[in-house]
Amino acid sequence: MLSYILRRLGAGVVLLAVVTLVTFLIFFVIPRLAGQSPRQMAAMYVGKAPTTEALDNTVNRLNLDQPVILQFWEFVKGIVLGTEYEFGGQTVECAAPCFGYSFQTYQAVFPEIISRLPVTGSMAIGAAVFWLVGGVAVGVISAVKKGSLFDRLAMGAALAGVSLPVFFTGLLALALLVHAWEILPIPGYTPFTENPAQWAVGMLLPWLTLAFLHAAQYARQTRGGMLETLGEDYIRTARAKGLTEGRVILKHGLRPTLTPIVTIFGLDIGMVLGGAVLTETVYSLNGVGRYAVEGITSNDLPVILGVTLFGAFFIVVCNLIVDVLYAWIDPRVRVARA
């Protein structure tokens, strides 16, 4: 088991290195191959109507006139060890991991992302509980009661959840549940340490909106897996041995179905932790996703670069956790790879 975890850790580190390389190629090499000069590339990092001096300083600061190998080395060194920038004759230290400075706010990108992480993390954790528990429970009941009214209604709702975009369901829920019927309060973020009850109440509508999108996929996935598993010979054997129906379903039927569920859960939670762009924008939550939107709309490339790497990091880490969980859920995984 330990060797399996160590191998997956090594693979995760390699994958992070590959993600960093691909991100560097997208932001620094492809524009050069497309024929952009160092000053044209620097213009993407200094905002609108830059001065000649600002362009030259950015070219020197990012080594845009240096060979690609040297640029990549400085890029990686800044992320791993930090770096120093020259602003107006002053030397400013950017601590690791350094993603640069926003040209809009002149603040370091990474601390800004960390300051917004509690909002995104709160939304991701709460919504994940709703979509995982709700989606799997609905999928199991639908499989057991195949063809019933509940099954048809649940799969219809699941189809709607998969089909409708968050900006539609979010605005519709806001208009009906908050403004028309006044069932829920206006969404907002309150730190958990200040008032846990207010934190949960303020985040309830974003949780439900985000969970409605993802729970639909989990319900359909669970139902399909359960229907296939419940037709296996060992399920009939378990029933013939006199086991209760609940034990047959939950212990022998549900467990093999969990492997693909864990796979998509790892991907989903990693993507949401990297920034739930639409949900945070709809409910005006200052999370990582909204920070990315602000960077895109203002052409603030250091912000876009930082959020991209930050989101990729969470996806890689969550996939690593999923790989470890595989070995716990299905021992055949670690035996086959040993």
Side-chain angles (χ1 to χ4, degrees):
M1 183 68 176
L2 180 60
S3 63
Y4 172 75
I5 294 175
L6 291 177
R7 285 201 307 273
R8 301 315 303 167
L9 280 172
V13 172
V14 172
L15 189 55
L16 275 176
V18 172
V19 169
T20 304
L21 175 61
V22 171
T23 305
F24 173 79
L25 293 175
I26 292 174
F27 282 87
F28 292 94
V29 177
I30 291 180
R32 174 179 288 196
L33 295 177
Q36 287 193 352
S37 65
R39 277 192 172 184
Q40 288 174 320
M41 294 172 60
M44 296 188 297
Y45 289 86
V46 294
K48 300 176 181 177
T51 63
T52 303
E53 183 182 4
L55 288 176
D56 290 339
N57 288 336
T58 303
V59 169
N60 293 329
R61 178 161 50 91
L62 299 179
N63 302 299
L64 296 177
D65 55 349
Q66 299 297 318
V68 172
I69 297 296
L70 180 59
Q71 281 187 53
F72 183 64
W73 166 249
E74 294 293 335
F75 178 72
V76 174
K77 190 176 76 172
I79 295 175
V80 178
L81 302 175
T83 187
E84 293 180 345
Y85 292 128
E86 296 287 340
F87 288 115
Q90 294 183 343
T91 301
V92 178
E93 183 178 356
C94 183
C98 178
F99 296 147
Y101 280 78
S102 165
F103 72 79
Q104 289 287 336
T105 62
Y106 301 102
Q107 299 294 319
V109 171
F110 183 71
E112 186 70 21
I113 292 175
I114 294 300
S115 70
R116 294 169 181 254
L117 186 58
V119 179
T120 302
S122 297
M123 190 170 60
I125 293 172
V129 171
F130 277 104
W131 86 55
L132 184 62
V133 176
V136 171
V138 169
V140 170
I141 297 173
S142 293
V144 174
K145 299 183 178 297
K146 180 186 175 184
S148 65
L149 179 62
F150 177 86
D151 180 31
R152 295 177 188 278
L153 291 176
M155 289 304 102
L159 183 61
V162 171
S163 306
L164 297 175
V166 168
F167 60 81
F168 175 78
T169 55
L171 291 176
L172 184 64
L174 190 65
L176 296 179
L177 299 179
V178 176
H179 297 295
W181 301 333
E182 299 182 351
I183 297 175
L184 296 176
I186 296 175
Y189 175 73
T190 302
F192 180 82
T193 52
E194 290 184 7
N195 190 333
Q198 189 64 35
W199 168 79
V201 171
M203 296 298 291
L204 184 57
L205 189 55
W207 288 345
L208 294 176
T209 302
L210 196 57
F212 181 60
L213 171 68
H214 292 281
Q217 182 183 2
Y218 286 74
R220 295 178 68 86
Q221 183 79 35
T222 303
R223 181 181 182 274
M226 285 290 293
L227 288 176
E228 183 178 347
T229 303
L230 292 177
E232 296 289 339
D233 291 338
Y234 70 89
I235 295 294
R236 286 191 286 273
T237 303
R239 285 173 173 151
K241 289 171 63 178
L243 297 181
T244 61
E245 188 65 15
R247 190 171 182 183
V248 171
I249 292 172
L250 296 179
K251 184 176 181 180
H252 298 283
L254 181 59
R255 186 165 183 174
T257 311
L258 289 179
T259 303
I261 296 296
V262 170
T263 301
I264 58 176
F265 181 74
L267 291 173
D268 288 341
I269 195 70
M271 292 177 64
V272 174
L273 284 172
V277 174
L278 292 178
T279 309
E280 291 177 4
T281 303
V282 167
Y283 295 117
S284 300
L285 297 172
N286 288 320
V288 178
R290 195 176 184 195
Y291 189 45
V293 173
E294 293 170 356
I296 293 170
T297 54
S298 60
N299 199 24
D300 199 342
L301 211 56
V303 173
I304 302 171
L305 174 66
V307 174
T308 301
L309 285 174
F310 191 74
F313 169 78
F314 269 114
I315 292 175
V316 171
V317 169
C318 289
N319 273 282
L320 177 63
I321 296 173
V322 165
D323 283 343
V324 175
L325 287 177
Y326 277 161
W328 177 70
I329 295 174
D330 189 353
R332 293 173 300 177
V333 174
R334 63 174 184 266
V335 171
R337 298 182 183 181

